[in-house]
Amino acid sequence: MQKKNEEKQDSLNKVVFYFSATLILLFSIITILFNEQANQVIINILNWVSRTFSWYYLLAATLYLVFIVFIACSRYGEIKLGPKHSKPEFSLLSWSAMLFSAGIGIDLMFFSVAEPLSHYMNPPVGEGETFEAARQSMVWTLFHYGLTGWSMYALIGVALGYFSYRYNLPLTIRSALYPIFGKKINGPIGHTVDTAAVLGTIFGIATTCGIGVVQLNYGLHVLFDLPENIWIQTALITVAVIITIISVTAGVNKGIRILSEINIYVSIGLLLFILFVGNTEFLLAALIQNFGDYISQFPKLSLSSFPFEQPKEWMNSWTLFFWAWWIAWSPFVGLFLARISRGRTIREFVTGTLVIPLLFTLTWLSIFGNSALYSVIFDGNTQLATTVLENPAHGFYDLLAQYPGFTFTAGVATITGLLFYVTSADSGALVLGNFTTKFTNIEHDSPRWLSVFWAVAIGLLTLAMLMANGVTALQNTTIIMGLPFSFVIFFVMAGLYKSLRLEDFRQASTSLNAAPVVGNVDILNWKKRLSRVMLHPSLSQTRTMLDNVCKPAIEAVATELIDKGIQVNIQEKPLEEEPELYHLDLTIQLDEEENFVYEIWPVRYDTPNFSSRGKRTKRYYYRLESYLFEGSQGNDLVGYSKEQVINDILDKYERHMMYLHINRISPGKRPLFPDREI
């Protein structure tokens, strides 16, 4: 019998960190020193990727959506992101608000005007500057920010939440591949996957930050007549990096989070301002039509590869860029969504992720996009469209200039944009730090110095891309760097599906009845049974039950198994909130198969008023609940005898054996998970 009480410390994942950091720093420095040559190399690689994989990006993005919707609608949708006993940490309203905030970013400000006008002037097919071109321009814009992209976030979020909270595996992409590769994920395979996630994520964040910097530069030009050049953009990046470093080192994330919430309200304010000051009737009518067009045309748009027309430049600038951008951001946003969704079912999570942010995003794009189109088509402001084609970063501010109070609205937009940049970089630095750290507890965050490093790396990479060829270089690099992680997502899908199949086997094993017990030792006489039902034990009573009944029962089972040559581990650990109590963990080692884990946890509850203890103003009582690998079994061992506890252990063990049997005889190779410490 072994007892394990050693404390492990978080450590740096040296392979992933040093390899990814070296690549990013080398790329940034070389690009800064040889920006023209670097830009030419990027263009050459982009042309190859576009020529070879344009069809693949379209197919992959569609398959991601189909898969996650299938999982949500199937019987697997009822599975929780966490143990069966887990409850949502946030109320439905708070959770919805956080999902809502995930759909807001500075890129929405940039593309809400730039994209519709660009498609209106230069559509992928057909004649530009027509009513049909205007109508289709909004459909393409909504498509690029619609269900397809959010499905990638939902897919990665489900995978991270499921494997981390249900199986206590590290909150990294490699965990989703355990069902396929097993313990090999701790070697080169896992390092490669996490490195791809780091590279994709940092380039995606750098793209967002770069677009934001260019737009903020124009905002400062409008407000203070500052020049638009790389020096001002460098200064903006420096300021943002400094603020980000202060945030991650001084622990002011709460303050940043408050500012982010303020940004949400400000964004809604800007939206309502444009809606009511502009042509309200037209904007609302256009909004309804845009939603209708998007829903009706979505299947056709999803796989529109234009093999005959071949608008390659348009595809590179828009659809391929957006799909690669969504892919690059999926580990980042997926992790955030997973962290706020513990205890929710897969169906709740997917529905919320696909619907709540989408509704706001599409509304924002429709209101601002149609306002810009109205200004060009009906007010004759063709200069706005020409400006957007020459410099897309000017579009949002030039639209605001059409309305009263421009100085105020431009100032609000600039401050909002700066805060969006900072919060994106701040959150990105924390996530990248988490991806390059080996955690002993999934609730931990990376060391502050690591987050500082990634904050600086994001700023350096953003500067390098802007020096190469501005926003165009950012878009091109995103298409290239999103490609490796797009392949990883397919492995994530396979791993998630294989692990969900195990839930069927677990469910089948629970239908097995326990073997009959000779002598009916499992049955209490009716008076003892009544006393047990009415009992609401105190802390001391619970401790006595643990010492005199539960612990001897577990030790008896362990001794018998050890005599039969089976390796058994027993752990006894005090509760953090109640040091006088402890929980008992019994682990039966089953070699390459999934270990049997049986735990007894004292769980504290408020004493009901009808209880005799409640009448004596005793606030709490305790249940001794049994836990298996997948979570609480919902039963209470209080009042059981030693033999009855033993019988409960054997009952659960027998069901576990049945589960392993079903798994072994099922067709194909089925995944098995390690114990919680691996």
Side-chain angles (χ1 to χ4, degrees):
M1 194 181 311
Q2 301 176 12
K3 295 189 178 184
K4 298 185 289 184
N5 294 306
E6 297 178 3
E7 293 290 331
K8 295 182 179 179
Q9 300 294 323
D10 297 342
S11 60
L12 182 69
N13 190 327
K14 294 181 180 180
V15 176
V16 176
F17 173 73
Y18 287 123
F19 189 69
S20 57
T22 301
L23 284 178
I24 291 163
L25 292 178
L26 280 176
F27 179 88
S28 301
I29 294 170
I30 293 172
T31 303
I32 290 172
L33 296 177
F34 308 99
N35 48 74
E36 292 184 5
Q37 296 89 332
N39 183 52
Q40 189 57 49
V41 171
I42 291 171
I43 291 173
N44 291 338
I45 298 175
L46 171 70
N47 291 334
W48 177 78
V49 171
S50 175
R51 185 172 61 253
T52 310
F53 293 101
S54 60
W55 64 270
Y56 164 77
Y57 267 119
L58 297 175
L59 180 61
T62 304
L63 290 177
Y64 301 155
L65 173 62
V66 172
F67 174 81
I68 198 62
V69 171
F70 163 74
I71 293 296
C73 295
S74 70
R75 61 185 180 278
Y76 303 126
E78 296 296 327
I79 297 171
K80 287 187 176 182
L81 300 180
K84 293 194 298 184
H85 61 275
S86 58
K87 303 294 182 184
E89 183 179 356
F90 304 100
S91 67
L92 182 61
L93 184 62
S94 299
W95 182 66
S96 300
M98 285 185 281
L99 289 177
F100 174 80
S101 68
I104 302 176
I106 195 169
D107 53 292
L108 273 182
M109 300 170 68
F110 185 97
F111 286 109
S112 60
V113 174
E115 185 170 358
L117 288 181
S118 296
H119 299 330
Y120 169 70
M121 300 295 289
N122 296 317
V125 294
E127 186 180 351
E129 301 182 59
T130 63
F131 288 144
E132 181 61 21
R135 184 173 179 177
Q136 292 304 313
S137 71
M138 285 307 308
V139 177
W140 280 111
T141 303
L142 299 186
F143 175 65
H144 291 151
Y145 272 95
L147 287 171
T148 308
W150 283 102
S151 70
M152 301 180 199
Y153 291 171
L155 174 56
I156 299 300
V158 166
L160 289 175
Y162 178 80
F163 288 107
S164 296
Y165 298 137
R166 197 162 179 87
Y167 291 99
N168 209 36
L169 291 169
L171 201 60
T172 57
I173 301 299
R174 73 172 69 195
S175 296
L177 274 59
Y178 190 93
I180 302 173
F181 300 108
K183 295 181 181 179
K184 292 180 181 178
I185 65 166
N186 297 317
I189 293 175
H191 298 327
T192 302
V193 167
D194 282 349
T195 301
V198 170
L199 293 176
T201 300
I202 195 170
F203 274 93
I205 294 171
T207 299
T208 299
C209 293
I211 289 171
V213 164
V214 172
Q215 182 157 324
L216 289 173
N217 190 176
Y218 183 64
L220 294 176
H221 172 73
V222 169
L223 292 171
F224 306 108
D225 201 30
L226 294 177
E228 292 183 83
N229 56 42
I230 192 64
W231 299 109
I232 299 296
Q233 291 165 13
T234 303
L236 281 170
I237 292 171
T238 304
V239 170
V241 169
I242 292 172
I243 297 174
T244 303
I245 290 173
I246 293 172
S247 170
V248 298
T249 56
V252 295
N253 292 327
K254 185 177 179 181
I256 295 292
R257 191 158 53 248
I258 292 172
L259 292 175
S260 298
E261 293 173 359
I262 294 173
N263 275 356
I264 294 173
Y265 297 122
V266 172
S267 301
I268 295 174
L270 280 174
L271 180 70
L272 295 176
F273 174 79
I274 296 295
L275 176 62
F276 292 115
V277 175
N279 191 317
T280 307
E281 182 181 357
F282 169 81
L283 293 176
L284 291 176
L287 174 63
I288 299 301
Q289 180 171 281
N290 292 157
F291 272 103
D293 287 343
Y294 171 68
I295 294 169
S296 63
Q297 297 185 41
F298 179 80
K300 182 183 73 172
L301 296 177
S302 296
L303 297 174
S304 292
S305 58
F306 302 110
F308 299 102
E309 299 89 348
Q310 294 195 348
K312 291 189 177 296
E313 186 176 346
W314 185 92
M315 287 290 288
N316 290 344
S317 299
W318 299 107
T319 303
L320 296 188
F321 161 65
F322 271 101
W323 287 175
W325 199 9
W326 283 101
I327 289 169
W329 266 75
S330 59
F332 173 33
V333 181
L335 177 62
F336 167 73
L337 297 178
R339 297 232 15 203
I340 66 172
S341 303
R342 179 171 183 159
R344 298 204 176 270
T345 65
I346 291 177
R347 186 172 295 123
E348 287 178 317
F349 177 85
V350 173
T351 303
T353 303
L354 292 187
V355 174
I356 296 171
L358 180 70
L359 290 176
F360 174 80
T361 301
L362 298 191
T363 302
W364 174 281
L365 291 169
S366 180
I367 297 298
F368 279 90
N370 284 302
S371 296
L373 290 170
Y374 186 92
S375 179
V376 173
I377 298 172
F378 297 106
D379 293 340
N381 187 11
T382 56
Q383 183 60 40
L384 178 61
T386 305
T387 301
V388 166
L389 290 179
E390 294 175 353
N391 198 328
H394 294 185
F396 191 81
Y397 285 96
D398 288 358
L399 175 65
L400 292 179
Q402 311 302 313
Y403 299 90
F406 173 59
T407 302
F408 175 75
T409 56
V412 170
T414 302
I415 295 172
T416 302
L418 178 62
L419 292 175
F420 278 140
Y421 176 104
V422 172
T423 51
S424 294
D426 175 75
S427 304
L430 290 173
V431 169
L432 289 168
N434 289 352
F435 282 163
T436 50
T437 304
K438 295 179 180 178
F439 293 113
T440 57
N441 189 315
I442 60 175
E443 301 296 332
H444 292 177
D445 279 321
S446 60
R448 290 179 178 177
W449 72 266
L450 192 57
S451 297
V452 170
F453 171 84
W454 286 118
V456 174
I458 291 170
L460 188 64
L461 184 60
T462 303
L463 177 61
M465 291 292 92
L466 290 175
M467 292 182 67
N469 191 22
V471 174
T472 303
L474 288 162
Q475 291 178 307
N476 295 344
T477 312
T478 300
I479 295 173
I480 297 168
M481 297 308 299
L483 184 62
F485 192 71
S486 70
F487 297 119
V488 173
I489 295 179
F490 280 108
F491 284 103
V492 171
M493 290 164 58
L496 180 61
Y497 182 72
K498 293 187 75 171
S499 64
L500 290 174
R501 287 290 310 277
L502 285 180
E503 302 291 341
D504 290 336
F505 304 153
R506 292 189 192 279
Q507 186 63 35
S509 68
T510 59
S511 62
L512 175 70
N513 293 322
V517 181
V518 180
N520 290 328
V521 298
D522 220 16
I523 300 175
L524 298 169
N525 68 56
W526 71 270
K527 290 184 179 181
K528 287 184 177 180
R529 186 176 177 183
L530 181 60
S531 298
R532 179 181 178 274
V533 171
M534 296 180 62
L535 180 62
H536 294 88
S538 63
L539 187 148
S540 60
Q541 289 173 312
T542 305
R543 175 64 188 250
T544 300
M545 178 73 185
L546 282 168
D547 292 339
N548 298 339
V549 178
C550 296
K551 188 175 178 180
I554 284 181
E555 290 176 344
V557 173
T559 301
E560 185 66 21
L561 289 169
I562 291 170
D563 290 341
K564 297 182 181 298
I566 299 174
Q567 184 180 355
V568 179
N569 298 318
I570 295 179
Q571 295 186 73
E572 177 186 324
K573 293 183 178 180
L575 302 183
E576 292 183 3
E577 66 278 6
E578 276 307 347
E580 296 180 44
L581 297 177
Y582 57 88
H583 65 90
L584 293 163
D585 299 354
L586 171 69
T587 302
I588 301 175
Q589 304 289 341
L590 299 174
D591 296 328
E592 296 300 319
E593 302 217 41
E594 187 174 323
N595 297 332
F596 174 70
V597 179
Y598 183 93
E599 302 174 347
I600 300 176
W601 281 78
V603 183
R604 190 176 72 180
Y605 296 93
D606 292 331
T607 305
N609 291 330
F610 62 79
S611 168
S612 58
R613 291 187 64 242
K615 295 174 182 178
R616 295 197 300 268
T617 69
K618 300 293 185 179
R619 291 185 60 190
Y620 305 112
Y621 75 100
Y622 296 83
R623 285 165 53 95
L624 291 173
E625 298 183 4
S626 63
Y627 283 64
L628 300 182
F629 195 86
E630 64 269 21
S632 174
Q633 301 304 293
N635 63 330
D636 183 15
L637 302 180
V638 169
Y640 275 34
S641 66
K642 175 184 173 182
E643 289 75 18
Q644 289 165 335
V645 174
I646 291 174
N647 191 61
D648 187 68
I649 297 171
L650 297 181
D651 182 21
K652 303 298 192 300
Y653 184 53
E654 189 173 2
R655 292 177 180 178
H656 185 73
M657 292 294 102
M658 176 58 72
Y659 155 68
L660 294 180
H661 170 71
I662 297 172
N663 191 28
R664 279 196 302 272
I665 65 174
S666 62
K669 183 182 178 182
R670 299 299 173 200
L672 294 168
F673 286 88
D675 65 43
R676 293 181 180 274
E677 293 190 358
I678 296 180

